[in-house]
Amino acid sequence: PELVRFNAPFKPIHELNHKQWFQDTLTDPTKRFFIIENTQTIVGTIQLFDIDMVHKNAEISIRIARPDDRGKGTGSQAVALLADHAFKDMG
């Protein structure tokens, strides 16, 4: 709940609904979703969403799950890598 408190009111989501959301995210051309790993451990997620290829813009969202993994530069590195991918690979 503390990770999504600024998104919308928190409510539990059924596992099937979450799996459907994830599948929809993977096939939606207006989204790119990535897992952030640090030495083989998943520490968070980062995504581009509302991608508009006509106007060449998008929004970014990043989450580093555990407080112990924050403040170590992992998020900054993920943002730099995603920006590089967006500009160089996606145009």
Side-chain angles (χ1 to χ4, degrees):
E2 59 274 1
L3 288 176
V4 296
R5 70 176 177 259
F6 298 119
N7 288 12
F10 175 77
K11 65 178 181 179
I13 298 172
H14 190 279
E15 182 178 357
L16 291 176
N17 292 349
H18 191 266
K19 286 180 179 182
Q20 185 61 53
W21 167 84
F22 191 68
Q23 187 60 40
D24 292 346
T25 297
L26 293 176
T27 58
D28 185 339
T30 67
K31 297 177 183 171
R32 297 284 194 287
F33 185 87
F34 300 91
I35 299 295
I36 302 170
E37 289 183 326
N38 188 4
T39 61
Q40 303 292 326
T41 302
I42 294 173
V43 296
T45 61
I46 190 167
Q47 66 176 317
L48 288 175
F49 62 99
D50 291 339
I51 298 169
D52 184 333
M53 296 305 286
V54 172
H55 295 102
K56 304 292 186 187
N57 62 43
E59 295 187 48
I60 189 171
S61 170
I62 183 170
R63 287 202 177 102
I64 305 295
R66 294 186 312 253
D68 290 348
D69 290 325
R70 298 177 195 149
K72 297 180 179 178
T74 305
S76 296
Q77 184 179 10
V79 169
L81 289 169
L82 184 57
D84 190 59
H85 171 64
F87 286 104
K88 290 182 179 175
D89 301 328
M90 297 173 61

